[in-house]
Amino acid sequence: MKKVELLSPAGNYEKLETVYHYGADAAYIGGKILNLRAFSKNFEDEELEKAVKLARKLQKKLFVTLNAIPHNSELELLPDYVNYLESLNVDGVIVADLGVFNLVKRNSNLPLIISTQASNTNWASVAMWRDLGAKRAILARELSLNEISEIREKVPDIEIEVFIHGAMCVSISGRCLLSNYLTGRDANRGECTQPCRWKYYLMEEKRPGEYFPVVEDERGTYIMNSKDLCTIDFLDKIIETGVDSLKIEGRIKSSYYAGVTTKVYRQAIDSYYNKEYTKELLDSLKKELESVSHREYTSGFYFHKPDKNSQNYKTSSYVRNYKFVGKIIDKISKDQYIVDVRNKIEKGEELEIVTKKGRNTKVLLDQIVNLEDGCLIGSANPNQKIILKVDNSLDVGDLIRVPNKGGSNQID
Ligand code: SF4
């Protein structure tokens, strides 16, 4: 049986290393043009070349997004850029616009992947993209399991990719003018300010500055504030629709987010094929998904159209149960590792190492050795390098976290 692909987001080179480290089969990144994540640190050419080398070394796949909706002037650079991507041998480009599709096809033999922005909600549009030469279609998020199965059945000869985790849009897969209208920043050009999550008031035109609450309950209203998609409970059902690739959303999320979500879904996919997809495992994986910054979770459109339970009415804040504090960047000996500190840590704290596979390792930080001078210190600050002594074997690339003091934090 062909195993489904786990596809993770990588907003920069470090995130790419991290998602490969934690088991992604493939990653998607933005290049320097036509890329729908203006706020992620996208890959300039040199870094892109490094990224492709890393993918080849690890025998992983790498896809490049060209999925913004372009205007005429933005097409000028496209043919050369497409040639360049082909010369690098990337595994495919993700496009949303028919014109971009055509230009990529005319200028290269790059595999074409149709973005979710193209709103593929039915088998006929997927079949049309196949007939035009697309290798893969990413389905719109607004589909049920039954609809996905039907598309798979009716169009067997194209790869199908679906989203399994991450932020949802209240509009059809990001085709939304809300951000553009309210802030001048266009979601279709990667600049969404997510006004669908905001808290809204009513203002009468002759009473500027007087805000009348729009009340759904005592907390006010968040009329368009979707919960985040999480499919860990029914990943088996998604795999059984016969799709080829499972995608995690979030190129602008942190390395920690990308790493932990990738590890969790890697474990879920492997356990499905090993027939170990048990309730106990799912409970522990769900707990792990609570550890990353998220809004409350929803099953999206997979079982039914979203209802009142799919919205978050209390807050648009994120829940953060853990703080990412560092990354293992080198191994000195079997029990000594160099840690790049990312958030302040103090002597006496219990660190949790997010290991590459399986259970995480806990380490009491009873001493902190500064790498630069070998001196013992009471605390370490971001960008400082320290030596960590442990009993267990760890991997370079493992991330380190500590629980957020005071339990679950709601942070905007
Ligand atoms: S404002 Fe909300 S619904 Fe619109 S594109 Fe942005 S995230 Fe999606």
Side-chain angles (χ1 to χ4, degrees), residues 337-341 345 351 365 368-371 377 380 384-388:
Y337 296 84
I338 299 176
V339 172
D340 185 19
V341 177
I345 44 176
L351 306 183
L365 196 60
I368 306 179
V369 181
N370 187 18
L371 178 69
I377 49 179
Q384 209 166 346
K385 311 275 183 294
I386 62 163
I387 298 171
L388 180 69

Side-chain angles (χ1 to χ4, degrees), residues 38-52:
F39 299 136
S40 71
K41 200 174 166 294
N42 295 308
F43 287 71
E44 290 293 327
D45 290 354
E46 204 180 308
E47 217 172 22
L48 188 58
E49 285 160 33
K50 219 169 104 188
V52 175

